[in-house]
Amino acid sequence: MAAFKFILILLSAFLLSNFIHCLMPKAMESQIMEITSYGLQLERNGIHAMYEQGHLSWETARELRNNITLLETQIE
């Protein structure tokens, strides 16, 4: 269930990033990308913490990190 919620959060972040990208002037684009990168790093940190606490298996954590990496490549 936590993995499903996490994927929904990532999808929402991706859609929001695309929406903002279309509406914001170019001057703000770098700031938006910086904030997006920071948010994705927070997600990675959360995955790591959940793995260390035993809430995620190594395979699930790896899959979630791979999803973040895929999302990053789509955003850039």
Side-chain angles (χ1 to χ4, degrees), residues 31-44 72 75-76:
Q31 292 174 335
I32 292 168
M33 292 307 294
E34 184 179 330
I35 291 168
T36 302
S37 295
Y38 180 71
L40 293 174
Q41 185 57 48
L42 288 176
E43 294 294 340
R44 280 191 186 92
E72 281 178 323
I75 291 173
E76 296 172 354

Side-chain angles (χ1 to χ4, degrees), residues 18-34:
N18 282 340
F19 178 72
I20 290 172
H21 178 72
C22 293
L23 296 178
M24 293 292 173
K26 290 285 184 185
M28 295 185 75
E29 186 174 328
S30 65
Q31 292 174 335
I32 292 168
M33 292 307 294
E34 184 179 330

Side-chain angles (χ1 to χ4, degrees), residues 46-57:
I47 292 168
H48 183 72
M50 289 173 61
Y51 168 72
E52 285 185 340
Q53 295 168 1
H55 298 294
L56 295 175
S57 68

Side-chain angles (χ1 to χ4, degrees), residues 55-71:
H55 298 294
L56 295 175
S57 68
W58 178 255
E59 284 298 315
T60 301
R62 184 178 60 82
E63 183 178 333
L64 292 172
R65 287 190 304 269
N66 287 341
N67 289 341
I68 293 173
T69 301
L70 178 61
L71 182 61

